[in-house]
């Protein structure tokens, strides 16, 4: 699975002019399931996202995760947005290929699984709308933007 994390002061997703998901300080996470991904990759990705220390502590160092945003146990928001274009292959010409992205039904299933797991593990989770034409608004904090990829486990 592929993700792009953006540390934000606030973020929201609109579909047809209506807000479908919004957070205050926290992480906007663009998520893409690739061919061969399973729940195991989604679980590993989510565990890494929740523990990644990219929020500043009192000394200004990146020592806090979205689960302990203020150092006192207050969680930040998590806005998960599906984005199959993260799997773009641009090596062969000027039009990207998306053949590495999971098929739409499988992508939706893994995205829904990741959202359900996130809601089980984190108290403040919002989402975009799978396969919709979304407008994503954010105030990037830092800016801090981190790409992440969890490759499928090798089969023996």
């Amino acid at each position: 699975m592929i993700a792009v994390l953006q540390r934000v002061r606030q973020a929201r997703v609109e579909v047809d002019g209506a807000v479908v998901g919004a957070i205050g300080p926290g992480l906007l996470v663009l998520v893409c399931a690739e061919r061969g991904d399973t729940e195991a990759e989604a679980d590993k990705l989510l565990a890494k996202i929740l523990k990644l220390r990219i929020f500043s502590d009192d000394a200004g160092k990146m020592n806090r995760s979205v689960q302990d945003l203020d150092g006192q146990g207050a969680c930040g928001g998590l806005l998960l947005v599906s984005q199959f274009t993260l799997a773009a292959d641009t090596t062969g010409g000027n039009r990207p290929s998306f053949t590495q992205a999971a098929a739409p039904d499988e992508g939706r299933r893994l995205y829904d699984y990741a959202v359900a797991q996130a809601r089980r593990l984190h108290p403040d989770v919002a989402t975009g709308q799978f396969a919709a034409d979304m407008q994503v608004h954010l105030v990037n904090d830092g800016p801090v933007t981190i790409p992440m990829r969890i490759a499928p486990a090798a089969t023996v």
Side-chain angles (χ1 to χ4, degrees):
M1 290 190 86
I2 304 171
V4 173
L5 287 66
Q6 294 183 299
R7 188 177 75 180
V8 298
R9 295 207 178 181
Q10 61 183 333
R12 73 179 187 279
V13 178
E14 296 178 1
V15 175
D16 295 328
V19 175
V20 297
I23 61 168
L27 292 175
L28 166 64
V29 182
L30 306 174
V31 181
C32 174
E34 295 180 280
R35 292 190 185 280
D37 284 342
T38 66
E39 291 87 352
E41 286 77 35
D43 288 339
K44 288 178 187 174
L45 182 70
L46 182 59
K48 188 77 170 173
I49 289 167
L50 292 176
K51 297 293 183 191
L52 195 65
R53 298 185 323 178
I54 59 172
F55 292 90
S56 298
D57 63 13
D58 295 335
K61 299 209 183 285
M62 288 187 184
N63 276 328
R64 294 189 180 143
S65 72
V66 72
Q67 292 186 309
D68 187 22
L69 200 64
D70 68 352
Q72 305 297 314
C75 292
L78 196 58
L79 178 55
L80 300 174
V81 177
S82 63
Q83 188 172 357
F84 79 93
T85 60
L86 293 178
D89 178 358
T90 60
T91 59
N94 295 323
R95 179 176 295 171
S97 168
F98 301 105
T99 58
Q100 287 307 110
D105 288 346
E106 184 64 3
R108 179 185 301 268
R109 187 185 73 74
L110 287 170
Y111 173 73
D112 289 345
Y113 173 83
V115 168
Q117 291 298 96
R119 287 185 169 144
R120 188 176 67 76
L121 298 170
H122 194 74
D124 184 5
V125 177
T127 67
Q129 184 176 324
F130 189 90
D133 181 15
M134 296 177 278
Q135 287 69 53
V136 180
H137 305 262
L138 68 139
V139 177
N140 196 320
D141 183 16
V144 174
T145 302
I146 297 179
M148 189 179 292
R149 183 167 187 266
I150 304 295
T155 55
V156 177

